[in-house]
Amino acid sequence: MRRATFIAACIIAAMAILVPVLNLWVPADSALHIPDHLVPLLGKYLCFAILALALDLAWGYCGILSLGHGAFFALGGYAMGMYLMRQIGSRGVYANPILPDFMVFLNWKDLPWYWYGFDMFWFAAIMVMLVPGLLAFVFGWFAFRSRVTGVYLSIITQALTYALLLAFFRNDMGFGGNNGLTDFKDILGFNIQSQGTRAALFAATALTLAAFLLMLQWIVASRLGKVMVAVRDAESRTRFIGYRVEHVKLFAFTLSAVMAGVAGALYVPQVGIINPGEFSPANSIEIVIWSAVGGRGTLVGPIIGALTVNAGKSYFTAAFPDAWLLVLGALFVCVTLFLPRGIVGTLSEWWEKRPQRTAAQAPVASMEAAQ
Amino acid sequence: MSKRGSILYLDGITVSFDGFKALNSLSLIVGQGEMRAIIGPNGAGKTTMMDVITGKTRPDEGEALFDGNVDLLTRDEATIARLGIGRKFQRPSVFESHTVWDNIELALEGNRGVVDSLFHRLSPAEMARIEEVLETVGLTAQARRLAAHLSHGQKQWLEIGMLLAQEPKLLLVDEPVAGMTDDETAATARLLKRIAREKAVVVVEHDMSFVRELGVRVTVLHEGAVLAEGSLDAVSADPRVIEVYLGR
Ligand SMILES: Nc1ncnc2c1ncn2[C@@H]1O[C@H](COP(=O)(O)OP(=O)(O)OP(=O)(O)O)[C@@H](O)[C@H]1O
Ligand SMILES: [Mg+2]
């Protein structure tokens, strides 16, 4: 498994170079050229792959089935969106140097305090991780300490994202209400629409995914990673050998939320908008489906799942716009029934089963010998 | 014997589930380094007693002390485990998707913190200890197999191995030979007797030939309280014990 992860990380890192090169420097009439519209689309898929990987840390490795990970993704996205809004400056429709257009439209006079600092990239970058991380930490601290598990936990995570959906729809929250944040101009001084910036954003996304993949490989191979799996498989047993299960879960859940926030922050400049729809409960459920299809409890699986399901989604929503949800539902049912370990899980199981086990039997005899 | 010199001191423990008293003013003292067998009919409260000792169930009233002075009733499962009480469950409970080796490693005495676990490197001493434990429970040849692929008896031994790796002062062993063949049962009896040379052990078991094999003091539980206590021969001759348990 470790080998597969390193190979995957190398492929993804190579894409960070290859895709920009094939887009920017290979002539448009070449068969190898990657058309402009494809770059942000691929970048979007990779953001979803990061998100699926993040969920897998919590669900696949630690058994926390979060149905609210879309919320952490959206919060990271909003933090980045706030930075991008403030970059617009006086170029907005109302040409207000400080207030974003929607605030001027609402007749607001002052910037709300929670928008302070977002004119600085480093501040926004910290918030991208801090806000989802803090929410997950506080939420998890109460939930895991009170030993809320299984379906109950899944339901309250759904409730969490639904509550945020409703809150962000309100205009007086100060996040652009229904329309969200959009019409971005620059990121770090570069035109967000230019092909060079888009290629750079793609590369940043691919490198982030590769880095997260290696980080998670290190974590799951550590003793803590083994403890997470132990918590997933036999929570009370883990407790009875002296581990603080709630701390282990809190670590996995919080780190996972931070990763989801980073995915959201990379997503927003590439799609050019963030709105409350990202908090919709259905989005969070889709993340679970990506991970399940690819293979939860493996690191490469969720990435493959996110890429294939979203490529399928792009195809189906164009070819048969009404059929997508049915296809997605059918896919989930089929995977649950026929590939319960997902694509990668099933493949690796098949791989491991090939060499016949030769482990000796007659355990009584061996124990007798030991005594 | 009193609190002093006891490894486990239970006094007047009462646990009720919806009015039904699973433990009814149970009192029991196990001495330092002693091995004690607990027998009693189904539903007598044997497992519930272990739940109370290990922090899983809070009694309505009573006192439970470990090592003569540590109050168990105010502590949670993880803390109690860290104090030095290891428990084997009635149903074998091992980490199925880990190898036998990893199961032992996870149970190994040491720091249980998140950060420590993240940066932990297995030392040569720890590896030697894991090998020693595997040897003791006869699973050396199975070290690299997934626990899920072990036989029922092997899982029971693995769980005992995990208990040993924890280096507890007191082992609570719930029905270790249930579902074992006669050979396996005899081997388990020898294993527990060996362990009991160094540690206090409380064994719950229905298998009378196994209890005889252990040759230790026996406590008979019935309806959540102690019915009789003494050598196996003495309690087997007790008419009340014969009536509620052995006679049926
Ligand atoms: N969580 C619970 N809720 C309600 N009743 C319970 C609970 N746990 C145990 N009981 C009841 O308490 C009684 C004692 O159960 P316990 O499991 O301690 O018995 P036992 O002596 O271990 O029996 P066995 O030999 O069958 O394992 C039983 O009647 C059982 O049904
Ligand atoms: Mg029982």
Side-chain angles (χ1 to χ4, degrees):
Chain A
M1 244 19 250
R2 202 171 285 216
R3 269 253 303 282
T5 311
F6 285 125
I7 294 170
C10 288
I11 293 174
I12 295 162
M15 278 172 68
I17 301 167
L18 214 58
V19 169
V21 167
L22 294 181
N23 170 241
L24 296 174
W25 291 296
V26 170
D29 49 10
S30 159
L32 288 174
H33 176 75
I34 292 184
D36 288 355
H37 73 270
L38 219 52
V39 176
L41 186 70
L42 292 176
K44 193 173 100 170
Y45 291 171
L46 290 190
C47 291
F48 291 155
I50 297 176
L51 184 53
L53 187 65
L55 177 79
D56 191 48
L57 174 67
W59 182 37
Y61 284 93
C62 207
I64 307 162
L65 176 50
S66 164
L67 292 180
H69 254 51
F72 304 125
F73 178 81
L75 287 172
Y78 265 96
M80 176 58 86
M82 288 161 80
Y83 163 75
L84 296 172
M85 286 308 268
R86 296 210 54 188
Q87 287 284 291
I88 299 173
S90 50
R91 285 169 295 175
V93 177
Y94 300 107
N96 186 314
I98 303 289
L99 293 191
D101 277 350
F102 74 87
M103 293 187 192
V104 182
F105 184 75
L106 291 171
N107 266 324
W108 290 14
K109 296 287 171 262
D110 302 306
L111 195 69
W113 60 268
Y114 47 84
W115 276 76
Y116 290 170
F118 279 94
D119 50 335
M120 292 169 287
F121 183 79
W122 65 266
F123 182 85
I126 291 174
M127 289 300 143
V128 157
M129 297 186 272
L130 193 66
V131 173
L134 203 62
L135 176 66
F137 187 87
V138 172
F139 180 90
W141 198 76
F142 286 108
F144 302 141
R145 230 173 49 115
S146 330
R147 304 207 178 159
V148 181
T149 53
V151 220
Y152 300 100
L153 188 90
S154 301
I155 290 171
I156 58 172
T157 53
Q158 274 267 286
L160 172 77
T161 193
Y162 190 63
L164 286 168
L165 170 79
L166 297 181
F168 273 74
F169 260 125
R170 293 156 46 100
N171 279 327
D172 52 11
M173 274 285 281
F175 295 108
N178 199 4
N179 299 321
L181 311 175
T182 187
D183 292 329
F184 309 132
K185 302 276 192 272
D186 291 344
I187 179 165
L188 290 168
F190 297 100
N191 177 1
I192 209 163
Q193 305 284 350
S194 83
Q195 206 48 42
T197 311
R198 296 189 149 187
L201 283 168
F202 174 87
T205 310
L207 291 177
T208 305
L209 175 57
F212 279 168
L213 191 55
L214 294 177
M215 177 183 77
L216 290 197
Q217 173 62 52
W218 174 66
I219 291 176
V220 304
S222 74
R223 182 180 283 181
L224 182 63
K226 291 174 187 168
V227 177
M228 285 181 194
V229 171
V231 168
R232 177 192 75 189
D233 288 352
E235 180 171 333
S236 71
R237 188 85 195 85
T238 317
R239 214 172 252 133
F240 284 112
I241 55 176
Y243 289 97
R244 298 224 158 268
V245 167
E246 59 276 20
H247 293 184
V248 176
K249 285 183 167 184
L250 201 54
F251 172 84
F253 192 61
T254 306
L255 179 60
S256 168
V258 169
M259 290 171 63
V262 171
L266 289 163
Y267 172 84
V268 167
Q270 300 190 72
V271 299
I273 183 169
I274 173 84
N275 63 32
E278 296 296 340
F279 286 105
S280 106
N283 281 20
S284 294
I285 293 173
E286 266 193 58
I287 309 168
V288 172
I289 298 180
W290 305 336
S291 297
V293 168
R296 70 188 152 111
T298 70
L299 292 178
V300 180
I303 297 175
I304 291 181
L307 298 183
T308 50
V309 176
N310 280 294
K313 181 176 184 173
S314 295
Y315 169 77
F316 272 101
T317 44
F320 317 96
D322 299 329
W324 169 243
L325 277 182
L326 289 177
V327 172
L328 186 67
L331 180 70
F332 190 54
V333 171
C334 287
V335 166
T336 314
L337 288 180
F338 303 116
L339 294 179
R341 303 185 56 193
I343 299 170
V344 172
T346 308
L347 285 179
S348 73
E349 185 175 34
W350 168 80
W351 181 257
E352 276 161 18
K353 272 203 178 139
R354 285 188 333 152
Q356 284 308 307
R357 287 171 198 290
T358 50
Q361 288 301 313
V364 172
S366 72
M367 186 154 115
E368 299 293 83
Q371 287 185 7
Chain B
M1 199 170 9
S2 67
K3 292 177 193 180
R4 286 168 70 85
S6 72
I7 188 80
L8 183 67
Y9 176 92
L10 301 180
D11 189 27
I13 300 278
T14 299
V15 172
S16 42
F17 297 112
D18 308 322
F20 167 76
K21 284 191 172 160
L23 291 182
N24 190 357
S25 192
L26 172 76
S27 301
L28 178 77
I29 300 177
V30 179
Q32 296 276 0
E34 183 188 347
M35 167 137 85
R36 176 73 60 88
I38 310 249
I39 60 174
N42 293 112
K46 305 181 293 292
T47 301
T48 307
M49 179 190 82
M50 293 198 170
D51 288 345
V52 168
I53 298 168
T54 53
K56 187 177 175 202
T57 301
R58 292 266 177 255
D60 306 328
E61 52 189 299
E63 188 181 18
L65 300 179
F66 174 61
D67 225 356
N69 55 16
V70 183
D71 183 5
L72 293 172
L73 301 184
T74 55
R75 291 172 163 83
D76 68 359
E77 295 100 316
T79 316
I80 291 172
R82 305 285 298 135
L83 283 175
I85 300 185
R87 174 174 185 185
K88 193 200 109 28
F89 287 81
Q90 186 161 352
R91 279 188 327 131
S93 164
V94 295
F95 304 124
E96 305 238 324
S97 44
H98 281 314
T99 60
V100 168
W101 174 282
D102 284 347
N103 269 271
I104 302 288
E105 185 192 332
L106 285 177
L108 209 60
E109 152 73 17
N111 198 310
R112 298 308 205 222
V114 166
V115 178
D116 283 286
S117 304
L118 187 57
F119 293 100
H120 188 82
R121 291 252 153 277
L122 210 54
S123 69
E126 285 178 314
M127 286 197 208
R129 176 68 186 138
I130 294 175
E131 272 156 21
E132 186 187 326
V133 169
L134 286 173
E135 186 105 351
T136 308
V137 295
L139 291 175
T140 305
Q142 327 289 326
R144 296 288 156 206
R145 291 180 77 192
L146 288 185
H149 297 153
L150 296 181
S151 72
H152 178 81
Q154 287 172 323
K155 282 184 191 170
Q156 302 266 36
W157 287 331
L158 175 56
E159 206 176 347
I160 294 174
M162 290 165 72
L163 226 65
L164 288 178
Q166 270 178 267
E167 312 269 354
K169 293 186 199 146
L170 170 65
L171 284 81
L172 305 174
V173 189
D174 203 349
E175 305 205 16
V177 301
M180 281 191 177
T181 64
D182 288 350
D183 282 353
E184 288 173 332
T185 301
T188 308
R190 281 191 289 279
L191 174 63
L192 284 178
K193 271 155 73 178
R194 243 158 55 91
I195 293 170
R197 283 185 218 148
E198 291 159 23
K199 308 188 187 288
V201 183
V202 173
V203 193
V204 164
E205 192 45 79
H206 284 294
D207 185 325
M208 277 306 144
S209 60
F210 174 78
V211 174
R212 184 165 297 284
E213 188 81 30
L214 294 180
V216 296
R217 195 174 166 84
V218 175
T219 299
V220 186
L221 287 196
H222 177 54
E223 292 179 349
V226 175
L227 183 69
E229 205 166 273
S231 72
L232 182 60
D233 289 330
V235 298
S236 334
D238 188 322
R240 290 172 309 164
V241 176
I242 295 173
E243 189 191 328
V244 303
Y245 186 44
L246 301 171
R248 291 180 309 160

